[in-house]
Amino acid sequence: MAAQFGRRVVKGAATTAVAAVAVAALSASQAPGVTDTAQGRQSTGSQPSSDPDADNSATGNSPYYTDLPPLNSPTPTPTTGTGTPTGTGEAEAGIPATVLDAYKKAEAALGESKPGCNLPWQLLAAIGKVESGQARGGRVDANGTTITPILGPVLNGNGFARITDTDGGAYDGDTTHDRAVGPMQFIPSTWEWSGRDGNGDGKKDPNNIYDAALAAGGYLCRFGWDLSDKADLRRAILSYNNSTHYLNTVLSWLEYYRKGTHEVPDGTGTLPSGRSDDNNGSSSSPTPTPTSPGTTPPSSQTPGGGGSTSPSPKPPTTTPPPSTPPTTPATPTDTVDHLEDAGTAKLTATAGDAFAEKIATRTETEAGKAVAKVRVRFTIVGDTDSVFTGGESVATVVTNSSGVATAPALKAGEKTGDFTVRATVVGRAVSGLDYKATVTARQADALARTGDTALTCVAGGEFADQVELKATYKGAAADGVEATATLVKAADDATANDKGPYFKDADGKTVRTLAGLKTDANGLLKLSKLYADDTAGTFLLRVNTTGGATLTVELKVTVAPSSSPSPSAS
């Protein structure tokens, strides 16, 4: 299978010319590069070894597989009844059953939680192909966890981005540097906030295809992106791995999978072949010079060149001085000693509202000097649905010339109470800085009836009109405000009455208190229908809301008219 696939891989400049016709999205030459191990993944030669944007991507801009989907042959290939090419095309269109199921389940989940994202499962399949060859051809167990871990290369700046350890080796087993992990190749610092439980086992495991696929979908649906929009689609893919080659490769597989795929048994998926880092990470592999049996390939062939046949020059007679290992220059991040609050005020907001204050953190050296151009990550921690602008729970901000990083505005969710926003330095193991934020319940400071009709009823009957109220706060409609309605004993006794008017619960039973009520988007609240027992008199209905608004409504129950004829006058 591997040998057959190797013959289908298109290399060098010819790849670009042909692929441009077959796949409109493809604009750069690609090379083969896939094995089961991290060393078999492509080194992005056009990127610097210490990538300042690496930690802002899902993969840390890790290397990736660059094999392209099969191209249309000049001679038409026989097709199946569905129009899917047979032979090599059909094999490449096959996706392992569990892996395919994970992609489709992730699409369905995101369709419910973020319908405006329009995430197609084929995009997850395209990224899964480029990142891990569909979990190494579907080598996963029944729960979707890879048989053996899939780890990217050590991100130590040696040919790749440099990201120092962020997880203590918990995900990648490396306590010095980070490595991309799992079938969707998340770096630990990204998985820490973007990880999801896609198979419902209570764990968020980057090595599980269900968890990883759902996390990848959530990552691609950030910032309100609509993936049916070409510009947003490009932004989302580049946020996963910031490489034009990567973008074009993913787009080519996306278009290929959209034309038709089919399910194959786990462990039998087609594995990409070749290693694109054989030529030090160049994005296009040289075409080998043909040789006759028994001849020796030219020893002076230049990687990517034409393959000169000149003999190799003799080595110098003097012994060269020992080479000095290259040193990686210190970055501003390396000089950070601690974090300081930069004047953040008290963080309090009403549910559903934006926080007026923003969190500001300063990075400093041991001597207290501000450090600019450092990435600070702000992470919302705790049982809360509050988010940053854009709907995310994590934001990464670069410090300015004063060493200050200001987080995006916070928006309070509906869950009330305290939560924490934690500031940490990306790529530097220094203590984080926690900020306490508080969400208070929605409030109303005034309640009023929307009508003035007298509320009357005969004993044993029902009130014709339902009580409708409007809640306001500082003159504006107060939406989402919780309220409680109670038929009280007296103006000075808020105890629920045991006679007179009453409500009915869902089972038709008599109740005289309605709790958990909430005003609608216009601040309106219509109470359930009221009934009267056989007790006549004047009764009180009291409604209270969070924020202190109270309204007491008078209810009158009259004696039912007698059904007997009046005695005649004597």
Side-chain angles (χ1 to χ4, degrees), residues 1-7 9 31-35 67 271-276:
M1 180 69 75
Q4 182 187 33
F5 187 86
R7 291 195 297 272
V9 176
V34 171
T35 68
D67 297 65
L271 287 175
S273 64
R275 286 179 51 163
S276 60

Side-chain angles (χ1 to χ4, degrees), residues 77-428:
T77 304
T79 62
T80 64
T82 60
T84 302
T86 58
T88 59
E90 186 177 22
E92 275 304 318
I95 298 177
T98 299
V99 177
L100 180 60
D101 184 55
Y103 296 150
K104 291 185 176 181
K105 279 184 167 58
E107 178 196 55
L110 270 298
E112 293 183 4
S113 62
K114 291 192 175 183
C117 177
N118 294 305
L119 170 76
W121 67 260
Q122 292 90 341
L123 176 58
L124 297 176
I127 290 176
K129 180 71 174 181
V130 170
E131 292 297 343
S132 68
Q134 310 297 19
R136 294 176 179 161
R139 293 183 61 207
V140 297
D141 64 20
N143 294 319
T145 302
T146 57
I147 302 300
T148 56
I150 302 175
L151 295 175
V154 177
L155 298 177
N156 58 6
N158 184 19
F160 311 110
R162 181 166 66 89
I163 303 178
T164 53
D165 177 61
T166 61
D167 67 328
Y171 294 117
D172 57 12
D174 192 324
T175 57
T176 304
H177 295 92
D178 274 348
R179 303 174 70 175
V181 181
M184 303 305 276
Q185 289 290 276
F186 279 93
I187 55 173
S189 58
T190 303
W191 182 262
E192 189 62 29
W193 62 266
S194 66
R196 300 289 189 273
D197 177 13
N199 62 353
D201 64 356
K203 298 184 294 183
K204 299 176 183 178
D205 182 3
N207 296 298
N208 182 278
I209 186 59
Y210 288 99
D211 295 359
L214 184 58
Y219 189 93
L220 294 165
C221 288
R222 296 164 11 263
F223 308 127
W225 283 331
D226 177 0
L227 301 183
S228 65
D229 177 82
K230 290 183 179 179
D232 279 357
L233 176 63
R234 290 175 62 89
R235 293 186 189 101
I237 296 172
L238 285 171
S239 79
Y240 209 89
N241 191 314
N242 189 21
S243 161
T244 302
H245 290 159
Y246 182 88
L247 169 69
N248 293 331
T249 306
V250 169
L251 286 174
S252 69
W253 282 106
L254 170 61
E255 292 306 310
Y256 179 73
Y257 286 139
R258 276 176 166 164
K259 293 176 182 177
T261 61
H262 62 274
E263 178 184 298
V264 299
D266 290 344
T268 66
T270 307
L271 287 175
S273 64
R275 286 179 51 163
S276 60
D277 57 352
D278 283 345
N279 58 339
N280 295 322
S282 172
S283 60
S284 60
S285 298
T287 302
T289 302
T291 59
S292 301
T295 62
T296 303
S299 59
S300 61
Q301 183 175 0
T302 304
S308 169
T309 56
S310 302
S312 301
K314 293 182 179 181
T317 56
T318 58
T319 303
S323 59
T324 303
T327 58
T328 304
T331 66
T333 301
D334 296 330
T335 68
V336 176
D337 177 76
H338 58 273
L339 294 172
E340 289 286 344
D341 176 43
T344 304
K346 186 176 181 180
L347 297 166
T348 303
T350 300
D353 291 346
F355 284 75
E357 298 294 332
K358 291 183 178 181
I359 298 171
T361 302
R362 183 170 56 253
T363 53
E364 295 184 354
T365 65
E366 186 176 5
K369 182 179 179 181
V371 186
K373 298 182 180 179
V374 173
R375 280 180 166 72
V376 175
R377 176 178 291 124
F378 297 95
T379 305
I380 296 174
V381 181
D383 183 17
T384 181
D385 54 354
S386 297
V387 292
F388 291 114
T389 302
E392 302 306 313
S393 60
V394 176
T396 302
V397 181
V398 179
T399 57
N400 60 19
S401 58
S402 300
V404 175
T406 302
L410 280 166
K411 183 177 180 181
E414 294 302 320
K415 290 185 178 179
T416 60
D418 297 335
F419 65 92
T420 298
V421 178
R422 181 164 299 149
T424 55
V425 178
V426 175
R428 180 75 169 164

Side-chain angles (χ1 to χ4, degrees), residues 465-481:
D465 297 313
Q466 289 178 246
V467 178
E468 185 179 64
L469 311 171
K470 182 167 185 176
T472 56
Y473 183 70
K474 296 182 179 179
D479 64 308
V481 175

